[in-house]
Amino acid sequence: MTRVVVVGSINMDLVTLAPRFAAPGETLLGERFVTLQGGKGANQAVAAARLGAEVAMVGAIGDDAFGAQLYEGLAREGVALDHLHRIDDCGSGTASITVAGGENAIVIVPGANARLTPAHVERATDAIARADAVLVQLESPLETVEATLRLGSKLGKPVILNPAPAQPLPPEWLELARFVTPNEHELAILLGADASEDPRELIRRIPCPIVMTRGAEGAWYRDGGELVQQSGFKVDAVDSTGAGDTFNAALAVFLNEDVASAVRKACAAGALSVTRLGARGGMPTRAELDAFLGKPA
Ligand code: RIB
């Protein structure tokens, strides 16, 4: 069984379904409100677990009611929580999400996620040493992201750096990653480049292997050689929240196969994830992914 360690955020998603996005200063009548579990790190942990991996989460929750629910939610999915830290006198992370026309807009308040430190990563050294792949995103403090990249690299583990939400990062951090996985918008921010620049040119400037996700269009990837295109899978999109998380999780789970196969499966898993409401609603199980790809489940 593939072992995956996720270092990252855990949020409660406060989701409003609306006919469209409100303009600044406008009040809109929404259609529905739901509270769903999310956070990029926790979503990636759940997606990897559903795909059959043995998953350990390194993260932080608050000592509030959301924290207790988030803990239970991860435990129910079979994610190992020995490195989940409950921070006293602190709220859990939240994400206020508007979903309109299959797209989303998100505002995050980090809460306890901001208190995940390099020391917490250090304490998870044994788990990381046993892992086949490590996932990290940018909803955790940057020093914690750096510590994950450095420890993973020191232990010879492939670290997938999902640079979301995007911010510019030192190129030497990228060199520590097995793959960096931005979407087109994140790629430009990561490099401090103009968003109008051709992403194929920007990809050339990334100093490590890269998979650039392209939503319904699939992905472009470069693993040392030429740029390769993986087409997207057609589905009816209900909610794109969590598609990137599902993609990254699948890439980690299938990284022991050849890269072309891992990226194809990641695109398929990401496509399935948008067919239901919520970041985790459409995340496929291994059997669902195999059936979608036309293989026996
Ligand atoms: O990637 C989707 C996630 O981003 C949501 O679950 C939300 O919590 C934000 O972190």
Side-chain angles (χ1 to χ4, degrees):
M1 195 188 257
T2 307
R3 292 195 181 112
V4 175
V5 171
V6 183
V7 179
S9 60
I10 307 166
N11 293 335
M12 192 57 87
D13 291 353
L14 313 172
V15 184
T16 299
L17 276 76
R20 61 181 171 80
F21 296 103
E26 182 186 21
T27 301
L28 262 187
L29 196 62
E31 292 158 353
R32 197 173 149 206
F33 174 80
V34 276
T35 305
L36 298 169
Q37 306 202 3
K40 293 189 191 302
N43 291 343
Q44 293 181 14
V46 168
R50 288 194 193 166
L51 290 171
E54 189 180 309
V55 185
M57 173 93 212
V58 183
I61 50 173
D63 60 353
D64 53 357
F66 282 167
Q69 291 167 29
L70 291 164
Y71 181 96
E72 284 306 316
L74 286 167
R76 263 199 312 275
E77 297 280 353
V79 175
L81 299 175
D82 312 79
H83 296 286
L84 190 74
H85 303 277
R86 202 185 67 149
I87 311 291
D88 290 337
D89 299 321
C90 188
S92 297
T94 56
S96 299
I97 304 180
T98 303
V99 177
E103 308 251 53
N104 65 51
I106 306 181
V107 178
I108 288 161
V109 177
N113 296 307
R115 309 268 293 271
L116 188 71
T117 65
H120 291 133
V121 176
E122 202 62 43
R123 272 193 244 165
T125 299
D126 285 354
I128 293 173
R130 283 194 304 273
D132 298 300
V134 179
L135 282 159
V136 65
Q137 326 74 35
L138 300 184
E139 280 184 353
S140 303
L142 282 186
E143 63 266 27
T144 306
V145 174
E146 182 185 9
T148 305
L149 284 161
R150 292 201 182 283
L151 182 59
S153 159
K154 186 172 120 191
L155 295 171
K157 301 295 167 179
V159 181
I160 297 176
L161 169 62
N162 175 214
Q167 48 183 302
L169 291 180
E172 59 270 24
W173 290 19
L174 303 183
E175 285 165 18
L176 298 170
R178 172 66 182 92
F179 275 110
V180 61
T181 57
N183 62 25
E184 184 173 340
H185 162 80
E186 290 158 352
L187 174 62
I189 297 176
L190 190 61
L191 291 168
D194 194 304
S196 63
E197 283 191 59
D198 184 341
R200 283 165 290 208
E201 285 305 315
L202 297 182
I203 284 174
R204 285 201 184 92
R205 285 199 231 152
I206 292 284
C208 67
I210 176 171
V211 184
M212 190 192 86
T213 56
R214 302 177 66 221
E217 303 301 315
W220 286 336
Y221 63 94
R222 201 201 62 204
D223 187 19
E226 288 304 302
L227 188 68
V228 183
Q229 176 177 345
Q230 168 62 53
S231 308
F233 290 81
K234 292 225 177 323
V235 291
D236 291 328
V238 173
D239 179 5
S240 60
T241 314
D245 298 330
T246 309
F247 182 98
N248 277 276
L251 187 65
V253 170
F254 299 113
L255 202 56
N256 57 353
E257 301 178 2
D258 65 280
V259 172
S261 166
V263 173
R264 177 170 173 267
K265 289 181 178 179
C267 282
L272 280 172
S273 79
V274 308
T275 58
R276 295 206 192 111
L277 180 66
R280 302 183 194 170
M283 280 175 182
T285 60
R286 180 66 173 263
E288 286 168 340
L289 179 64
D290 286 346
F292 184 67
L293 287 167
K295 291 189 202 146

PDB file of all heavy atoms in Angstrom, residues 11 13 38-40 43 95 97 106 108 139 241-242 245 279, ligand 1:
ATOM      1  N   ASN A  11      -9.566  23.059   7.277  1.00  0.00           N
ATOM      2  CA  ASN A  11     -10.539  24.153   7.403  1.00  0.00           C
ATOM      3  C   ASN A  11     -11.957  23.639   7.495  1.00  0.00           C
ATOM      4  O   ASN A  11     -12.262  22.552   6.982  1.00  0.00           O
ATOM      5  CB  ASN A  11     -10.510  25.053   6.155  1.00  0.00           C
ATOM      6  CG  ASN A  11      -9.212  25.821   5.998  1.00  0.00           C
ATOM      7  OD1 ASN A  11      -8.521  26.075   6.974  1.00  0.00           O
ATOM      8  ND2 ASN A  11      -8.896  26.171   4.768  1.00  0.00           N
ATOM      9  N   ASP A  13     -15.336  24.577   5.777  1.00  0.00           N
ATOM     10  CA  ASP A  13     -15.781  25.364   4.620  1.00  0.00           C
ATOM     11  C   ASP A  13     -17.226  25.821   4.825  1.00  0.00           C
ATOM     12  O   ASP A  13     -18.123  24.989   5.050  1.00  0.00           O
ATOM     13  CB  ASP A  13     -15.684  24.520   3.339  1.00  0.00           C
ATOM     14  CG  ASP A  13     -14.237  24.239   2.939  1.00  0.00           C
ATOM     15  OD1 ASP A  13     -13.317  24.800   3.581  1.00  0.00           O
ATOM     16  OD2 ASP A  13     -14.038  23.461   1.983  1.00  0.00           O
ATOM     17  N   GLY A  38     -13.063  20.898   4.894  1.00  0.00           N
ATOM     18  CA  GLY A  38     -12.136  21.191   3.808  1.00  0.00           C
ATOM     19  C   GLY A  38     -10.754  21.533   4.323  1.00  0.00           C
ATOM     20  O   GLY A  38     -10.309  21.035   5.358  1.00  0.00           O
ATOM     21  N   GLY A  39     -10.100  22.435   3.596  1.00  0.00           N
ATOM     22  CA  GLY A  39      -8.694  22.755   3.860  1.00  0.00           C
ATOM     23  C   GLY A  39      -7.870  21.960   2.861  1.00  0.00           C
ATOM     24  O   GLY A  39      -8.077  20.745   2.709  1.00  0.00           O
ATOM     25  N   LYS A  40      -6.945  22.631   2.184  1.00  0.00           N
ATOM     26  CA  LYS A  40      -6.219  21.938   1.111  1.00  0.00           C
ATOM     27  C   LYS A  40      -5.476  20.698   1.605  1.00  0.00           C
ATOM     28  O   LYS A  40      -5.491  19.654   0.957  1.00  0.00           O
ATOM     29  CB  LYS A  40      -5.243  22.902   0.433  1.00  0.00           C
ATOM     30  CG  LYS A  40      -5.966  23.998  -0.320  1.00  0.00           C
ATOM     31  CD  LYS A  40      -5.055  24.817  -1.172  1.00  0.00           C
ATOM     32  CE  LYS A  40      -5.786  26.047  -1.692  1.00  0.00           C
ATOM     33  NZ  LYS A  40      -6.983  25.725  -2.475  1.00  0.00           N
ATOM     34  N   ASN A  43      -8.035  17.971   2.632  1.00  0.00           N
ATOM     35  CA  ASN A  43      -8.675  17.429   1.425  1.00  0.00           C
ATOM     36  C   ASN A  43      -7.737  16.457   0.708  1.00  0.00           C
ATOM     37  O   ASN A  43      -8.150  15.395   0.231  1.00  0.00           O
ATOM     38  CB  ASN A  43      -9.031  18.562   0.456  1.00  0.00           C
ATOM     39  CG  ASN A  43     -10.149  19.446   0.966  1.00  0.00           C
ATOM     40  OD1 ASN A  43     -10.888  19.064   1.879  1.00  0.00           O
ATOM     41  ND2 ASN A  43     -10.278  20.630   0.402  1.00  0.00           N
ATOM     42  N   ALA A  95     -12.976  28.623   5.718  1.00  0.00           N
ATOM     43  CA  ALA A  95     -12.964  29.116   4.336  1.00  0.00           C
ATOM     44  C   ALA A  95     -14.391  29.500   3.981  1.00  0.00           C
ATOM     45  O   ALA A  95     -15.290  28.657   4.044  1.00  0.00           O
ATOM     46  CB  ALA A  95     -12.452  28.030   3.395  1.00  0.00           C
ATOM     47  N   ILE A  97     -16.795  30.206   1.200  1.00  0.00           N
ATOM     48  CA  ILE A  97     -16.751  29.854  -0.225  1.00  0.00           C
ATOM     49  C   ILE A  97     -18.086  30.195  -0.883  1.00  0.00           C
ATOM     50  O   ILE A  97     -19.145  29.814  -0.379  1.00  0.00           O
ATOM     51  CB  ILE A  97     -16.481  28.337  -0.409  1.00  0.00           C
ATOM     52  CG1 ILE A  97     -15.184  27.951   0.320  1.00  0.00           C
ATOM     53  CG2 ILE A  97     -16.442  27.959  -1.877  1.00  0.00           C
ATOM     54  CD1 ILE A  97     -14.810  26.479   0.198  1.00  0.00           C
ATOM     55  N   ILE A 106     -13.072  32.026  -2.841  1.00  0.00           N
ATOM     56  CA  ILE A 106     -12.794  31.567  -1.466  1.00  0.00           C
ATOM     57  C   ILE A 106     -12.036  32.635  -0.675  1.00  0.00           C
ATOM     58  O   ILE A 106     -11.089  33.231  -1.189  1.00  0.00           O
ATOM     59  CB  ILE A 106     -11.931  30.267  -1.489  1.00  0.00           C
ATOM     60  CG1 ILE A 106     -12.589  29.197  -2.358  1.00  0.00           C
ATOM     61  CG2 ILE A 106     -11.692  29.760  -0.077  1.00  0.00           C
ATOM     62  CD1 ILE A 106     -11.843  27.865  -2.421  1.00  0.00           C
ATOM     63  N   ILE A 108     -10.084  32.730   3.036  1.00  0.00           N
ATOM     64  CA  ILE A 108      -9.621  31.849   4.117  1.00  0.00           C
ATOM     65  C   ILE A 108      -9.191  32.655   5.340  1.00  0.00           C
ATOM     66  O   ILE A 108      -8.530  33.684   5.211  1.00  0.00           O
ATOM     67  CB  ILE A 108      -8.417  31.025   3.621  1.00  0.00           C
ATOM     68  CG1 ILE A 108      -8.891  29.974   2.632  1.00  0.00           C
ATOM     69  CG2 ILE A 108      -7.694  30.336   4.764  1.00  0.00           C
ATOM     70  CD1 ILE A 108      -7.795  29.451   1.781  1.00  0.00           C
ATOM     71  N   GLU A 139      -1.119  26.798   2.414  1.00  0.00           N
ATOM     72  CA  GLU A 139      -2.034  27.331   3.431  1.00  0.00           C
ATOM     73  C   GLU A 139      -1.421  27.179   4.824  1.00  0.00           C
ATOM     74  O   GLU A 139      -2.088  27.416   5.819  1.00  0.00           O
ATOM     75  CB  GLU A 139      -3.395  26.622   3.379  1.00  0.00           C
ATOM     76  CG  GLU A 139      -4.282  27.154   2.272  1.00  0.00           C
ATOM     77  CD  GLU A 139      -5.668  26.541   2.244  1.00  0.00           C
ATOM     78  OE1 GLU A 139      -5.955  25.594   2.998  1.00  0.00           O
ATOM     79  OE2 GLU A 139      -6.478  27.021   1.438  1.00  0.00           O
ATOM     80  N   THR A 241     -14.518  23.167  -6.320  1.00  0.00           N
ATOM     81  CA  THR A 241     -13.740  23.207  -5.072  1.00  0.00           C
ATOM     82  C   THR A 241     -13.129  21.827  -4.801  1.00  0.00           C
ATOM     83  O   THR A 241     -13.837  20.826  -4.818  1.00  0.00           O
ATOM     84  CB  THR A 241     -14.638  23.598  -3.877  1.00  0.00           C
ATOM     85  OG1 THR A 241     -15.442  24.706  -4.246  1.00  0.00           O
ATOM     86  CG2 THR A 241     -13.804  23.937  -2.653  1.00  0.00           C
ATOM     87  N   GLY A 242     -11.835  21.794  -4.540  1.00  0.00           N
ATOM     88  CA  GLY A 242     -11.194  20.526  -4.189  1.00  0.00           C
ATOM     89  C   GLY A 242     -10.678  19.745  -5.379  1.00  0.00           C
ATOM     90  O   GLY A 242     -10.040  18.695  -5.198  1.00  0.00           O
ATOM     91  N   ASP A 245      -6.976  19.616  -5.170  1.00  0.00           N
ATOM     92  CA  ASP A 245      -6.548  18.749  -4.051  1.00  0.00           C
ATOM     93  C   ASP A 245      -6.617  17.283  -4.462  1.00  0.00           C
ATOM     94  O   ASP A 245      -5.718  16.491  -4.157  1.00  0.00           O
ATOM     95  CB  ASP A 245      -7.444  18.991  -2.828  1.00  0.00           C
ATOM     96  CG  ASP A 245      -7.340  20.429  -2.344  1.00  0.00           C
ATOM     97  OD1 ASP A 245      -6.267  21.028  -2.531  1.00  0.00           O
ATOM     98  OD2 ASP A 245      -8.326  20.948  -1.801  1.00  0.00           O
ATOM     99  N   ALA A 279     -15.737  20.244  -1.343  1.00  0.00           N
ATOM    100  CA  ALA A 279     -14.379  19.840  -1.710  1.00  0.00           C
ATOM    101  C   ALA A 279     -14.229  18.320  -1.713  1.00  0.00           C
ATOM    102  O   ALA A 279     -13.511  17.755  -2.526  1.00  0.00           O
ATOM    103  CB  ALA A 279     -13.381  20.466  -0.744  1.00  0.00           C
TER     104      ALA A 279
HETATM  105  O1  RIB B   1      -8.814  23.577  -2.298  1.00  0.00           O
HETATM  106  C1  RIB B   1     -10.067  23.728  -1.726  1.00  0.00           C
HETATM  107  C2  RIB B   1      -9.946  24.187  -0.307  1.00  0.00           C
HETATM  108  O2  RIB B   1      -9.377  25.466  -0.304  1.00  0.00           O
HETATM  109  C3  RIB B   1     -11.256  24.329   0.425  1.00  0.00           C
HETATM  110  O3  RIB B   1     -11.671  23.144   1.045  1.00  0.00           O
HETATM  111  C4  RIB B   1     -10.987  25.457   1.387  1.00  0.00           C
HETATM  112  O4  RIB B   1     -10.916  25.061   2.707  1.00  0.00           O
HETATM  113  C5  RIB B   1      -9.686  26.078   0.914  1.00  0.00           C
HETATM  114  O5  RIB B   1      -8.676  25.758   1.765  1.00  0.00           O
END
